Amino acid sequence: MGFLFIFFVLCFGTIFGQDLPTLVPAAPFDPNSDAARLFDAMNGLGTDENKIISVLCYRTASQRDVITTTYNNQHGSLAKDLQSELTGSFQTLSIMLTHGMIKFLSIELHETMARPGTDEPSLTEVIMSRSNQELDEIETFFNNYYGHSLVSEIEADTTGSYRQLLIQMAEGRRDETMLVNMTAVQIDVVDLYEGGPAIDGTDENLYINIFTLRNFVHLNKVSILYEATYGTSLNTVVTTEFTKDMGNALVSILQYSADKALYFSSRFHTTIAGAGTADRDLMRLTVSRCETDLGNIKIAYQNIYGVSLSTAVSDDTSGSYRTALLALID
């Protein structure tokens, strides 16, 4: 019994709960009719924002991509028309919704690094939560769209061990089998202790390799066993051993490994808690999760904060922007 293999048939579903999207493909789907409806909403005097919402917020990213291509072929540029007809956050969100998912994620990654300062929590969030295949497609898109790689942008905008962590995650080499070998878990637990609290300094490469290459179920088992063995949480270890950005990124990976719905509910709360709203983050979280697990996130949000995500977003937004977000959330 030296090697105990646990195979989770439902993969992420077993550990994180069955994924509950809030947006599913429209059926039947007629991109010509949808493109015509969008054109009609912006043609002539005034703009029918509810018509725009009725299309863009009720079609999946792959369907919106087809609608955008259809509109562009028949009426010009959908993005440019939305830019001309709309304003503010509703304009930004509507243009986001003209992109396919890989283009959308790539632009969001670029934005986290292009703005003054680097939005490290958002950068970590996007890279950490995408599959190896998505990361490969994002890298291809980056090269074609921006003329350079995602990795080169990370190299130019981050430093130290945090930079190396992001690069290795962006390379998309994480084990995605969801197999757990308990002997391997035990080895990682000991290695993390001996490469961290047990020595002067920290074996940064060891931590980076474990946190970027191991599957999320394995990492959660490591976290649980580490605390049971040494009496200290792995969250505490990484925030003690590493500087702020790196420590926070490793904590995010541990939180995501334990329960991705709880992790994302906290990310949503951060965007709307306190004075002001981090609108770009709120849009990205909503658009990127509504086809995957926003239903789970809503449940977690209600349980943690005692108010529904819909209510929290409604209280912090207004107008067509609010209506569009709630259409994606509900």
Side-chain angles (χ1 to χ4, degrees):
M1 298 296 289
F3 288 89
L4 174 61
F5 289 94
I6 304 173
F7 179 55
F8 296 96
V9 177
L10 294 179
C11 297
F12 275 79
T14 302
I15 295 301
F16 302 126
Q18 186 65 43
D19 282 346
L20 301 173
T22 57
L23 179 65
V24 296
F29 172 55
D30 183 352
N32 289 295
S33 175
D34 286 341
R37 185 170 177 79
L38 288 170
F39 180 74
D40 183 61
M42 295 182 282
N43 190 33
L45 294 175
T47 303
D48 189 337
E49 295 183 349
N50 286 328
K51 267 190 179 178
I52 293 172
I53 291 169
S54 73
V55 176
L56 294 182
C57 297
Y58 292 90
R59 307 292 185 269
T60 61
S62 60
Q63 291 178 326
R64 295 193 302 266
D65 199 28
V66 176
I67 294 167
T68 299
T69 300
T70 303
Y71 186 103
N72 292 349
N73 289 337
Q74 296 176 355
H75 306 292
S77 170
L78 176 56
K80 287 182 179 179
D81 288 348
L82 292 168
Q83 179 86 31
S84 173
E85 295 290 328
L86 306 177
T87 60
S89 294
F90 181 53
Q91 177 198 73
T92 304
L93 177 59
S94 296
I95 293 172
M96 280 184 180
L97 293 172
T98 68
H99 306 318
M101 188 57 69
I102 295 302
K103 181 177 181 180
F104 164 73
L105 292 170
S106 300
I107 292 173
E108 290 307 293
L109 282 169
H110 176 73
E111 285 297 316
T112 66
M113 295 179 278
R115 295 180 295 225
T118 302
D119 183 353
E120 288 88 359
S122 297
L123 185 56
T124 301
E125 167 212 309
V126 177
I127 295 177
M128 171 187 69
S129 62
R130 309 325 297 191
S131 69
N132 292 342
Q133 180 178 342
E134 287 172 321
L135 290 168
D136 183 61
E137 292 173 2
I138 287 169
E139 181 68 10
T140 299
F141 180 87
F142 245 83
N143 280 303
N144 293 335
Y145 194 75
Y146 294 112
H148 59 259
S149 67
L150 170 61
V151 168
S152 69
E153 199 159 311
I154 292 170
E155 288 175 334
D157 215 60
T158 58
T159 60
S161 56
Y162 178 57
R163 170 200 285 165
Q164 191 57 38
L165 178 80
L166 290 174
I167 289 172
Q168 288 198 199
M169 284 198 294
E171 288 173 346
R173 296 187 289 124
R174 188 181 298 281
D175 168 30
E176 295 180 327
T177 65
M178 296 302 136
L179 289 168
V180 176
N181 177 337
M182 289 307 297
T183 299
V185 169
Q186 292 165 355
I187 291 171
D188 280 350
V189 166
V190 173
D191 285 349
L192 289 170
Y193 177 75
E194 293 183 348
I199 63 172
D200 290 330
T202 308
D203 187 342
E204 294 181 349
N205 288 333
L206 170 72
Y207 275 76
I208 289 169
N209 285 334
I210 289 174
F211 276 74
T212 62
L213 299 178
R214 305 296 190 265
N215 70 61
F216 291 116
V217 180
H218 175 103
L219 282 175
N220 190 45
K221 294 294 184 183
V222 168
S223 179
I224 293 168
L225 185 58
Y226 189 99
E227 184 166 3
T229 303
Y230 298 109
T232 303
S233 73
L234 203 47
N235 283 354
T236 299
V237 170
V238 297
T239 53
T240 302
E241 294 287 326
F242 292 94
T243 56
K244 180 181 177 182
D245 291 339
M246 178 64 166
N248 289 343
L250 295 177
V251 168
S252 292
I253 294 170
L254 291 171
Q255 291 173 338
Y256 184 87
S257 301
D259 190 323
K260 64 175 180 173
L262 288 177
Y263 165 77
F264 278 114
S265 65
S266 174
R267 292 289 295 146
F268 267 101
H269 184 68
T270 299
T271 69
I272 50 183
T277 305
D279 288 299
R280 186 99 195 190
D281 291 342
L282 179 56
M283 294 179 218
R284 183 191 64 255
L285 286 163
T286 303
V287 174
S288 66
R289 305 316 302 181
C290 64
E291 295 181 45
T292 308
D293 55 3
L294 189 49
N296 308 77
I297 296 165
K298 289 166 60 178
I299 294 170
Y301 195 97
Q302 176 78 52
N303 291 338
I304 296 170
Y305 302 108
V307 62
S308 72
L309 178 59
S310 297
T311 298
V313 170
S314 180
D315 288 346
D316 227 50
T317 56
S318 62
S320 293
Y321 173 49
R322 170 199 285 161
T323 304
L325 284 173
L326 294 180
L328 295 167
I329 291 170
D330 292 333

